[in-house]
Amino acid sequence: MSFYYYLYISDCKVDMLLPQIDPGFAAKRKSEVGVKLSVLSLKKTAEHGGNDRVGRLERVLRHLEEHGDIGSVDEPGQFFWGLLPVQWGRFPGADSMVFAGGRLDDTVVALGGSGRHIFGAVPNVDPGPAYSHLPPMLDGLASDLEDELLVEAAEQPSADPLDRADRAALTTVRQAVDRLTGPAQNVEFVAKRLLHGTLDGVPVLLGSPVYIALID
């Protein structure tokens, strides 16, 4: 039997998607919490908090699977699923974010998201404004790379099908993954696609994880 050891669950994504999937879920949950609130029920709520977090995630994943919104690393949809060894690294200039990356066959895969969604992180931390993580993610990664790498990428011939911004972004992600060191861990994940393209014949994929789980 294979066990899941969740390393990361994006509560923000789950909380955003779940009411759209099941509009009655929020009202039903509020009602259940409000009925006969006693010391015993409070104790049970505390005991089952972790299970509820995983249960909400599984509800979202079932909907995405049933409606075909989850693609693969090779053919990502709005979301993509993967199973591969990844290495973890610091996120330059953004200590509140986490970054992991690896390769599946020839595809470079990178995952980046908020560190507060890591299991064991301090709860109820102000997440800040709700905006796309893509620009600060790319800026942070680029700051740790040689400037000439991005200059060289941006100065490719005009016949190149990628524009300068796309090529620079894909180069930033690929070089950041190439620089990761340390032992790799086998993980399974589902992530929201942020960036996908082919750079010099190499597919590059960047996503923001819905969950990451360590597997046996």
Side-chain angles (χ1 to χ4, degrees), residues 20-22 59-71 77-79:
Q20 300 177 61
I21 292 167
D22 183 359
R59 176 72 182 89
V60 169
L61 294 176
R62 280 198 302 272
H63 177 87
L64 295 177
E65 290 169 358
E66 289 169 1
H67 291 80
D69 293 325
I70 300 180
Q78 293 185 53
F79 297 83

Side-chain angles (χ1 to χ4, degrees), residues 21-215:
I21 292 167
D22 183 359
F25 183 88
K28 179 173 62 178
R29 176 170 168 74
K30 184 177 180 180
S31 174
E32 289 173 349
V33 171
V35 172
K36 295 182 180 178
L37 201 57
S38 62
V39 174
L40 179 59
S41 64
L42 283 171
K43 182 174 183 292
K44 287 183 177 179
T45 299
E47 289 174 349
H48 291 82
N51 292 336
D52 182 65
R53 188 181 187 188
V54 174
R56 288 160 59 83
L57 167 68
E58 291 175 345
R59 176 72 182 89
V60 169
L61 294 176
R62 280 198 302 272
H63 177 87
L64 295 177
E65 290 169 358
E66 289 169 1
H67 291 80
D69 293 325
I70 300 180
S72 65
V73 168
D74 294 329
E75 297 183 4
Q78 293 185 53
F79 297 83
F80 61 95
W81 173 90
L83 177 63
L84 73 157
V86 301
Q87 294 170 295
W88 298 83
R90 70 184 183 88
F91 207 102
D95 293 336
S96 63
M97 300 182 75
V98 293
F99 179 71
R103 290 176 180 263
L104 184 62
D105 298 326
D106 295 326
T107 302
V108 176
V109 182
L111 303 171
S114 172
R116 75 188 189 92
H117 297 310
I118 295 174
F119 263 69
V122 178
N124 300 321
V125 176
D126 181 9
Y131 59 86
S132 170
H133 282 310
L134 183 55
M137 196 180 299
L138 292 173
D139 289 344
L141 294 175
S143 69
D144 203 37
L145 300 175
E146 300 286 347
D147 289 341
E148 57 265 24
L149 290 174
L150 299 183
V151 171
E152 178 184 349
E155 292 178 348
Q156 292 295 316
S158 58
D160 193 299
L162 294 173
D163 63 28
R164 291 186 176 186
D166 287 343
R167 174 167 281 276
L170 293 171
T171 299
T172 295
V173 173
R174 188 176 71 178
Q175 293 292 341
V177 172
D178 288 344
R179 290 167 66 97
L180 290 172
T181 59
Q185 292 181 301
N186 290 319
V187 301
E188 178 182 303
F189 60 85
V190 166
K192 176 71 177 75
R193 186 192 73 239
L194 296 180
L195 181 68
H196 183 225
T198 301
L199 183 68
D200 301 328
V202 178
V204 179
L205 179 59
L206 172 66
S208 179
V210 179
Y211 80 89
I212 302 175
L214 185 65
I215 60 171

Side-chain angles (χ1 to χ4, degrees), residues 6-26:
Y6 286 100
L7 304 175
Y8 183 105
I9 292 180
S10 176
D11 297 308
C12 286
K13 292 185 185 68
V14 171
D15 290 344
M16 181 187 299
L17 293 171
L18 195 52
Q20 300 177 61
I21 292 167
D22 183 359
F25 183 88

